Amino acid sequence: MDRSAEFKRWKAQCQSKADFSRKGSVDEDVVDIVQLLNGREQYFTTSSCAGRIILLDGNINGFEVQKQNCCWLLVTHKPCVKDDVIVALKKANGDAVLKFEPLILHVQCRQLQDAQILHSVAIDSGFRNSGITVGKRGKIMLAIRSTHGLEVPLSHKGKLMVTEEYIDFLLKIANQKMEENKKRIERFYNCLQHALEKETITNSHPKGKIKDKNYSSCTHKKKRNPEAYGKCITEENDKELENDDDPGISVSFFPEDY
């Protein structure tokens, strides 16, 4: 089977699966991005989260909090207030941790050059921790992500270790990060539209001279359409690709069965 046909098979399989995420649907702030990518033959999304503030109650035997082994006390994709956190903390029995997690979007790409286009858009839009990983079977995955997260422990063995004033201070920071995350998502959407339109024009005029514009220069705003989008998986526990401080391309190899 040639690579193009195999990619189509992978995309069809992914989009035929049910959404097993905790929420069960794509987050509102990334619906248009998911729709735009899944509507292109060279891309499909495998998991996504628009960004969120969460309060986790972890294992009291260790400081390291693993999502799969903890209790979710609070999850919100909108600005959070102190009273909601205080109420949620009353349910904590272990080590409660407040976290802000920015956008994470995993996209499988047909060819490396397709991934490079998307990677450039992500970097120029502020998601500078994005990277490309290539599997042994030829799967080309792009993880779109940034570094402006937040993770702070609040309690130990169910006992609150900070003041309510400090919690209020943390939430102001988390909410500011949420607002910045939304701005980057909007910028990414606008620049992605520009890049895909430019690619279409270039492909339709391979011998013509097309003026090249840097992706970061796209400042035009287009009205976003929240209507139906292609079905995709949004598994929250989808394993993140290995971080790379250099915003360039990173390549890793997985076992044969990947």
Side-chain angles (χ1 to χ4, degrees):
M1 183 181 297
D2 62 59
R3 286 293 174 85
S4 181
E6 189 170 32
F7 179 82
K8 290 181 180 179
R9 179 177 62 82
W10 284 333
K11 183 171 183 176
Q13 286 180 346
C14 177
Q15 295 185 327
S16 67
K17 294 179 180 179
D19 189 328
F20 295 108
S21 67
R22 185 180 296 267
K23 182 181 177 183
S25 62
V26 177
D27 295 337
E28 181 180 353
D29 287 338
V30 293
V31 164
D32 291 338
I33 293 175
V34 169
Q35 178 186 9
L36 183 58
L37 289 170
N38 288 339
R40 291 280 176 151
E41 62 179 12
Q42 67 268 43
Y43 302 114
F44 67 90
T45 59
T46 62
S47 66
S48 65
C49 178
R52 60 194 175 185
I53 296 173
I54 57 179
L55 183 64
L56 304 175
D57 189 16
N59 190 333
I60 63 174
N61 295 319
F63 179 80
E64 190 76 19
V65 176
Q66 300 295 331
K67 294 178 188 177
Q68 61 268 30
N69 298 321
C70 66
C71 177
W72 297 63
L73 301 176
L74 176 68
V75 182
T76 179
H77 298 274
K78 298 179 180 180
C80 189
V81 297
K82 182 184 69 175
D83 290 345
D84 291 340
V85 174
I86 297 299
V87 170
L89 277 170
K90 293 179 180 179
K91 304 174 185 177
N93 296 311
D95 294 357
V97 176
L98 179 71
K99 300 181 69 176
F100 167 72
E101 297 179 336
L103 168 79
I104 178 69
L105 181 65
H106 289 147
V107 184
Q108 187 165 337
C109 309
R110 183 180 55 188
Q111 297 178 358
L112 187 57
Q113 65 185 41
D114 299 322
Q116 289 173 319
I117 291 173
L118 203 54
H119 182 264
S120 295
V121 172
I123 296 299
D124 289 338
S125 301
F127 297 103
R128 298 192 58 80
N129 200 31
S130 300
I132 301 170
T133 303
V134 180
K136 265 194 172 182
R137 289 180 56 195
K139 287 185 178 180
I140 301 171
M141 298 295 302
L142 172 68
I144 299 170
R145 56 200 174 189
S146 60
T147 59
H148 70 297
L150 178 70
E151 181 172 351
V152 183
L154 300 182
S155 70
H156 179 58
K157 295 183 179 181
K159 179 183 178 181
L160 187 63
M161 305 300 291
V162 299
T163 64
E164 291 190 14
E165 182 181 9
Y166 185 66
I167 293 175
D168 191 45
F169 168 72
L170 288 177
L171 288 176
K172 287 180 180 178
I173 295 175
N175 289 335
Q176 288 174 355
K177 288 178 178 291
M178 178 74 80
E179 184 61 30
E180 172 60 25
N181 182 65
K182 288 180 180 294
K183 290 179 180 179
R184 293 186 187 188
I185 290 174
E186 186 70 27
R187 187 157 61 241
F188 177 80
Y189 176 75
N190 290 326
C191 290
L192 178 60
Q193 284 185 313
H194 173 82
L196 294 179
E197 287 170 0
K198 186 171 78 72
E199 182 198 23
T200 299
I201 294 173
T202 301
N203 290 340
S204 62
H205 300 83
K207 295 183 180 180
K209 293 184 178 180
I210 305 298
K211 290 185 179 180
D212 187 20
K213 295 182 180 179
N214 188 283
Y215 298 134
S216 61
S217 67
C218 59
T219 57
H220 63 283
K221 300 287 185 179
K222 292 194 175 184
K223 187 175 181 180
R224 301 177 68 182
N225 178 15
E227 295 179 358
Y229 46 86
K231 194 173 185 181
C232 67
I233 303 174
T234 58
E235 297 177 69
E236 292 179 337
N237 291 331
D238 188 42
K239 185 178 180 182
E240 290 192 9
L241 304 176
E242 186 175 56
N243 287 348
D244 185 354
D245 292 334
D246 186 343
I249 299 170
S250 60
V251 179
S252 302
F253 291 97
F254 293 108
E256 289 288 350
D257 59 349
Y258 173 68

